[in-house]
Amino acid sequence: MLKRAGTGLSFTVNGEAVALDIPPMTRLADALRDELGLTGTKIGCNAGDCGACTVLIDGRQACSCLVPVGQAVGHEIVTVEGLAEDGALSALQRAFHQHGAAQCGICTPGMLMAASELLAETPKPTRTQVEDAMGGVLCRCTGYVKIVDAVTDFAKARDDETGKGWVGARLKRVDGIPKLTGAEKFGADHAPDGSLWLRIIRSPHARARFEIGDTEEFRRRHGLALVLTADDVPANNFGIYPSGKDQPVLAISEAQYRGDAVMALVGARAIVEAIVEADLPIKWEPIAPVTFADAQTESARALHNHAPDNVLVRGRVVKGNVDKAFAEAAVTAEVSTESGFVEHAYIEPEAGFAQRIGDRLEIVACTQCPTMDRDEIAHIMRMEKSAVRVIPTATGGGFGGKLDLSVQPLVALAAWMLQKPVRCIYSRPESMMATTKRHPSQIRARAAADAKGRLVAFDFAGDFDTGAYASWGPTVANRVPVHATGPYHVPHVRALSRALHTNNPPSGAFRGFGVPQAALAHEALMDQLADKLGMDRLEFRLLNAIRAGEATATGQVLNSSAGLAACLEALRDDWREALARRVTEGPLRRGVGIACMWYGIGNTSLPNPSTMRVGLRPDGRLMLYNGAADIGQGSNTIMIQIAAEALGVGVEYFDYVMGDTDLTEDAGKTSASRQTYVSGRAAELAARALRAEILKRSNAGEDSTIALSNGRVTLRDSAGE
């Protein structure tokens, strides 16, 4: 029941009367989440921009983060928790489930509420009406297509499944229903009762020396439980690469970027949030920062001892005789491209909590890589890995940005020292300030072709701003030269790259690890060469598309397949039709372009292991112990599909555990599009091993079928016996 005793603010939530004694200027979103426990209403920005907090007020959608709870008095509020009908999913929720419209799930409650308003007034909306009605709720995963499909087709929603649910069949997400009801817990949605609040103090300068004064007097004066500085961190360095753990948990005497963490305050939420920057015991001395342009010179002051020239790492791929090939080529082209920082802008800011349980630490937070987090926290805390447990929450988008540690080390340290649970939730500005970005780039490239249009040479040099700390800079610098030519066969290649340290925010992983930046250059070159030769731009790419049997710039021969040529051939008719519709003169013009890109699945410069376990429980159900973090891409579902097919049973017999480092093995990070292929293969092998063991113990033939029912395993051979 939602009823709360009080005499102040009375309204109705999901059909029940509520009375709250809280300040009337409290955000309605906070009242719903913190006072009533209705965490299905999400907070992504607290500025009315993302729409994740959308609820219905008297049937009209509103961003609850912008509504003071005092304005809700006397009104009827409906949240996502109120959509279910008699304990079952509503038709709209069933439609979202059927269409796979809930991916990471952080925007799903807002989408459902906005759609509910529309459908109440327009039961059969057009796609345009759906798009207009839901335009205030942002999604970073789906591209909106499945969401719009679900709303337009909601009356046709069914409860049935299609096919066996094995690989290739459409299957409703095994984790879909909690995302649709508001029951799914993200990093900011839960913490133990009595949890303290942690607030990180960050540098307001791109580069600055600083001194911290008397923290004990400051702590007592403000009634804080703890003030953390660099002196409190057992091993004050972390980073992705073992040889590059150059980022401090809390900076020591000098901040390296605007957003660098220098101190953490722990205490009651109201106290921690009320402290103003001017009252902090910190003295700042700004220093001229090293810019991207500075780092490209030899005279810039080095930021780290491991990079005296500010070059974190160089990448290099060379094949053939590039200079000779250019000299003999019929046509050449050159291009210079620049790209800037890009923010991941996942709807969920970083959040989580930690608690000490005896001599162990337990961290519950959003992440793309639970095992990697465990290992890094163990290093920071100088603890054995076995003493650290990471339990990933649902993660509201990642795109590479949640591969690096965020809240985890400081909540872990505070919880360990205080022996009380401690939580931290980044604000949207803090998330944008403190977390990694896509690498800015400056690229110079040239390419050459013979008179028939065949590529003969490619020359590439790219600088990438890796920011204040290494993060995934080595991966970018090493991956880019491998991909620099694009998906084309080029006999002579020189591709060089550098990841450069600056006093900008750290650049990390972001959907491609530098390859999209390189694609800007190689596709511009393909257009220029085609135009110089008088060739159609698609036909030029088709002529040069790398094919099975040909070698890449690294010398790898693609023996199995290379599908670009088939893709381009399939596009021919559409391309020609689009060309015919071009408008090249007048005030309103219409252009058309074509571009190709390739991307190697899996880690670069790192091993690619994954371990999965499948077990048979005494009650006859199967358990998949899955260490791969599902951040919306659907790995929870596809792993079960793969394991079910390999074992030869239906997916309905499977339960799963996702990412808990005490219960699952290392499945590697969720990035580089690797989980379905790498961890999926591990799930297949684990299920096949279990099948073989069942058949062996039952003395059954390999062609036997396995059936599970009422805690029993039944096997039948091909004759049905």
Side-chain angles (χ1 to χ4, degrees):
M1 299 292 288
L2 295 179
K3 294 179 182 178
R4 294 292 184 273
T7 59
L9 308 173
S10 300
F11 48 97
T12 301
V13 179
N14 298 332
E16 297 190 42
V18 170
L20 299 176
D21 288 329
I22 58 175
M25 288 304 294
T26 303
R27 298 175 191 262
L28 177 58
D30 291 337
L32 293 171
R33 291 173 55 83
D34 299 339
E35 302 297 325
L36 302 177
L38 297 173
T39 56
T41 298
K42 306 303 179 188
I43 295 177
C45 66
N46 258 342
D49 293 326
C50 73
C53 67
T54 298
V55 299
L56 299 184
I57 303 179
D58 295 337
R60 299 291 184 181
Q61 61 173 298
C63 287
S64 58
C65 74
L66 297 182
V67 178
V69 71
Q71 291 186 358
V73 172
H75 295 281
E76 182 177 352
I77 313 299
V78 178
T79 72
V80 67
E81 290 91 346
L83 289 185
E85 301 168 349
D86 298 323
L89 296 183
S90 68
L92 179 60
Q93 289 169 315
R94 291 198 303 272
F96 267 62
H97 198 26
Q98 181 177 313
H99 283 276
Q103 291 194 12
C104 81
I106 194 72
C107 74
T108 302
M111 292 288 182
L112 287 166
M113 303 316 296
S116 296
E117 179 195 16
L118 169 67
L119 294 173
E121 297 181 349
T122 311
K124 295 183 179 180
T126 64
R127 295 189 73 84
T128 299
Q129 288 174 317
V130 174
E131 291 166 359
D132 288 344
M134 302 178 69
V137 185
L138 302 182
C139 176
R140 286 286 286 114
C141 297
T142 67
Y144 303 95
V145 173
K146 295 299 183 183
I147 295 170
V148 176
D149 287 347
V151 180
T152 55
D153 296 345
F154 88 102
K156 304 174 185 177
R158 303 183 305 274
D159 290 321
D160 62 307
E161 301 289 359
T162 302
K164 293 182 178 180
W166 288 355
V167 177
R170 293 195 62 175
L171 179 68
K172 294 174 184 175
R173 296 179 66 112
V174 298
D175 54 2
I177 290 177
K179 300 176 190 293
L180 299 166
T181 63
E184 184 78 282
K185 298 301 182 185
F186 292 81
D189 289 344
H190 67 121
D193 292 340
S195 292
L196 297 173
W197 201 265
L198 184 142
R199 173 185 167 193
I200 302 172
I201 305 302
R202 301 184 180 279
S203 170
H205 308 285
R207 189 178 187 185
R209 299 185 186 93
F210 64 91
E211 292 183 4
I212 297 177
D214 188 341
T215 58
E216 180 58 23
E217 187 277 332
F218 176 79
R219 183 193 67 79
R220 288 196 305 268
R221 177 158 47 91
H222 287 281
L224 295 167
L226 185 66
V227 177
L228 293 172
T229 67
D231 292 338
D232 298 304
V233 187
N236 195 18
N237 66 315
F238 68 94
I240 306 303
Y241 287 79
S243 60
K245 292 188 181 298
D246 62 348
Q247 185 164 356
V249 177
L250 292 170
I252 307 170
S253 72
E254 184 173 314
Q256 297 286 7
Y257 74 100
R258 185 173 180 266
D260 215 353
V262 300
M263 179 189 289
L265 314 179
V266 185
R269 180 176 184 177
I271 293 174
V272 166
E273 291 183 340
I275 295 173
V276 297
E277 299 284 332
D279 200 26
L280 295 170
I282 305 176
K283 293 182 179 180
W284 297 100
E285 181 189 347
I287 310 171
V290 174
T291 67
F292 193 18
D294 295 336
Q296 293 170 307
T297 69
E298 296 181 358
S299 58
R301 176 181 172 183
L303 300 184
H304 298 283
N305 292 332
H306 65 257
D309 52 2
N310 285 316
V311 178
L312 169 65
V313 66
R314 288 177 168 84
R316 180 178 184 272
V317 169
V318 176
K319 181 178 75 169
N321 190 329
V322 172
D323 295 331
K324 183 174 184 292
F326 267 97
E328 297 174 353
V331 292
T332 63
E334 296 186 15
V335 67
S336 295
T337 66
E338 293 188 17
S339 64
F341 285 107
V342 182
E343 162 65 26
H344 298 84
Y346 26 73
I347 304 300
E348 179 205 27
E350 294 75 4
F353 70 87
Q355 58 184 338
R356 180 173 178 174
I357 301 175
D359 291 329
R360 302 190 75 222
L361 265 173
E362 186 175 280
I363 299 95
V364 180
C366 57
T367 179
Q368 294 182 234
C369 45
T371 302
M372 189 182 296
D373 287 357
R374 180 202 64 189
D375 295 351
E376 289 226 69
I377 293 165
H379 162 76
I380 291 166
M381 296 297 299
R382 296 192 189 278
M383 299 172 70
E384 296 294 327
K385 295 177 183 178
S386 59
V388 178
R389 180 183 189 183
V390 171
I391 304 173
T393 63
T395 297
F399 321 115
K402 291 174 182 171
L403 288 172
D404 295 72
L405 291 177
S406 57
V407 303
Q408 297 95 325
L410 284 171
V411 294
L413 176 60
W416 182 261
M417 294 176 67
L418 293 171
Q419 300 189 51
K420 293 181 179 180
V422 177
R423 70 187 306 192
C424 180
I425 302 172
Y426 282 7
S427 66
R428 174 58 58 186
E430 183 177 17
S431 177
M432 297 182 74
M433 173 189 289
T435 62
T436 61
K437 307 288 176 275
R438 187 185 292 283
H439 281 73
S441 67
Q442 291 187 3
I443 293 170
R444 301 158 300 285
R446 57 187 184 134
D450 63 21
K452 295 181 179 180
R454 292 278 186 182
L455 289 169
V456 295
F458 194 93
D459 195 8
F460 175 99
D463 285 338
F464 293 82
D465 183 351
T466 206
Y469 304 112
S471 183
W472 291 91
T475 297
V476 170
N478 289 330
R479 182 171 282 250
V480 166
V482 174
H483 292 77
T485 62
Y488 308 107
H489 180 248
V490 188
H492 303 279
V493 177
R494 179 168 55 219
L496 310 176
S497 65
R498 298 189 300 177
L500 301 173
H501 277 303
T502 70
N503 286 121
N504 286 321
S507 297
F510 192 157
R511 297 301 296 271
F513 293 96
V515 179
Q517 295 94 306
L520 296 174
H522 65 63
E523 289 309 287
L525 289 171
M526 296 305 106
D527 283 348
Q528 288 186 29
L529 290 174
D531 292 348
K532 286 187 176 183
L533 289 162
M535 293 181 65
D536 177 271
R537 292 180 174 184
L538 182 147
E539 298 300 332
F540 180 79
R541 288 171 167 82
L542 177 59
L543 176 66
N544 289 288
I546 195 165
R547 290 166 167 82
E550 293 180 329
T552 69
T554 63
Q556 178 187 2
V557 177
L558 303 182
N559 290 317
S560 298
S561 67
L564 178 59
C567 290
L568 291 170
E569 288 168 351
L571 281 174
R572 262 193 178 127
D573 291 344
D574 290 333
W575 169 248
R576 289 168 181 167
E577 180 183 343
L579 286 174
R581 298 201 318 271
R582 283 184 300 172
V583 178
T584 59
E585 297 180 355
L588 183 63
R589 306 184 187 189
R590 179 186 293 116
V592 59
I594 186 169
C596 304
M597 182 176 167
W598 63 344
Y599 182 73
I601 288 172
N603 299 335
T604 300
S605 307
L606 289 170
N608 241 308
S610 178
T611 301
M612 291 278 175
R613 292 191 295 124
V614 179
L616 178 62
R617 300 193 316 209
D619 62 0
R621 291 193 61 78
L622 296 157
M623 178 66 78
L624 175 64
Y625 296 93
N626 169 17
D630 191 327
I631 62 171
Q633 84 282 16
S635 59
N636 284 338
T637 302
I638 189 60
M639 297 303 161
I640 288 178
Q641 285 184 284
I642 292 170
E645 182 169 348
L647 192 57
V649 301
V651 295
E652 66 271 18
Y653 296 110
F654 271 88
D655 298 314
Y656 70 95
V657 174
M658 187 274 285
D660 185 331
T661 58
D662 269 13
L663 302 177
T664 66
E665 304 295 331
D666 185 5
K669 58 191 177 67
T670 293
S671 68
S673 303
R674 62 177 293 279
Q675 288 296 11
T676 294
Y677 291 93
V678 179
S679 294
R681 178 62 168 161
E684 177 191 0
L685 293 173
R688 290 191 183 280
L690 177 59
R691 175 181 172 83
E693 188 65 21
I694 291 172
L695 296 179
K696 176 183 176 182
R697 295 192 180 200
S698 305
N699 197 29
E702 292 185 3
D703 60 349
S704 297
T705 60
I706 298 175
L708 303 172
S709 179
N710 299 322
R712 294 174 61 86
V713 179
T714 305
L715 292 97
R716 296 185 184 276
D717 60 22
S718 57
E721 299 177 352

